[in-house]
């Protein structure tokens, strides 16, 4: 792992949060897919909120959605995609519920969306205590810095060149 000076630690299931971020980024890429290449913008940010949580946000410059479309995004099986199932955001919400968090969606004034979620930070002492509990926590849960959500290591199923 990598530790950046001054960044808080976050207790999370790395695989679940990785899946959540991938899903939100893929949705954002789909949203800007119809735009001209010069206006296809997707931004992933992390920020500290009240020194108690790290907020991850995924922004896109996609088409403007109606307030009805945004409010219906909370429904399972609702989709704005022609071939979508409407399960992606529902799965994201369940992952965040397990992390005692929630998914926030807001329209950008110029078009597009911002999806964000907070993850509570922890101290090194609390992290050590949690890590020592072992069976009480899911396998894969660990303390990571907010900038190190994704892993670039190849999976076992991927062949090395």
């Amino acid at each position: 792992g990598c530790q950046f000076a001054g960044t808080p630690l976050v207790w999370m299931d790395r695989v679940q949060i990785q899946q959540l971020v991938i899903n939100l980024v893929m949705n954002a890429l789909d949203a800007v897919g119809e735009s001209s290449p010069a206006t296809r913008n997707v931004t992933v940010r992390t920020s500290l909120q009240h020194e108690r949580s790290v907020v991850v946000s995924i922004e896109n410059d996609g088409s403007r959605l109606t307030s009805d479309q945004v409010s219906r995004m909370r429904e399972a099986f609702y989709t704005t995609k022609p071939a979508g199932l409407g399960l992606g955001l529902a799965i994201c919400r369940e992952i965040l519920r397990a992390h005692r968090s929630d998914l926030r969606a807001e329209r950008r004034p110029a078009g597009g969306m911002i999806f964000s979620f907070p993850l509570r930070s922890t101290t090194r002492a609390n992290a050590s205590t949690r890590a020592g509990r072992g069976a009480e926590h899911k396998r894969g849960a660990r303390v990571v810095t907010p900038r190190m959500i994704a892993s670039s290591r190849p999976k076992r199923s991927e062949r090395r060149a």
Side-chain angles (χ1 to χ4, degrees):
C2 187
Q3 175 70 44
F4 296 94
T7 59
L9 298 172
V10 175
W11 182 259
M12 70 170 118
D13 183 310
R14 181 175 51 106
V15 173
Q16 287 183 353
I17 297 300
Q18 191 173 16
Q19 183 61 50
L20 170 109
V21 171
I22 288 169
N23 186 45
L24 293 174
V25 168
M26 294 301 292
N27 284 352
L29 292 171
D30 287 344
V32 300
E34 299 295 319
S35 303
S36 67
T39 61
R40 290 183 192 156
N41 293 310
V42 171
T43 306
V44 178
R45 300 179 200 277
T46 58
S47 60
L48 188 60
Q49 181 182 41
H50 308 297
E51 297 185 22
R52 298 186 66 200
S53 36
V54 173
V55 177
V56 180
S57 64
I58 293 90
E59 305 174 28
N60 71 70
D61 290 345
S63 61
R64 192 173 197 82
L65 297 177
T66 66
S67 57
D68 181 55
Q69 287 173 311
V70 174
S71 65
R72 293 203 57 207
M73 286 181 182
R74 293 205 157 281
E75 301 172 17
F77 305 111
Y78 175 75
T79 184
T80 58
K81 299 177 188 178
L85 297 176
L87 292 174
L89 291 179
I91 291 168
C92 289
R93 279 192 194 83
E94 287 303 312
I95 290 171
L96 289 171
R97 186 171 294 133
H99 287 80
R100 297 182 190 157
S101 186
D102 62 331
L103 183 63
R104 300 168 189 159
E106 61 183 282
R107 291 187 300 172
R108 296 186 61 197
M113 295 288 296
I114 302 171
F115 288 92
S116 62
F117 57 93
L119 293 170
R120 291 185 296 155
S121 61
T122 188
T123 64
R124 285 208 181 275
N126 286 342
S128 297
T129 302
R130 285 181 174 179
R133 291 183 191 160
E136 294 178 33
H137 293 282
K138 290 183 185 177
R139 185 176 158 214
R142 62 167 62 173
V143 177
V144 298
T145 61
R147 294 184 189 174
M148 299 304 293
I149 292 174
S151 172
S152 60
R153 286 186 277 167
K155 295 179 182 175
R156 289 182 193 170
S157 60
E158 295 175 351
R159 293 193 174 178
R160 295 182 187 207

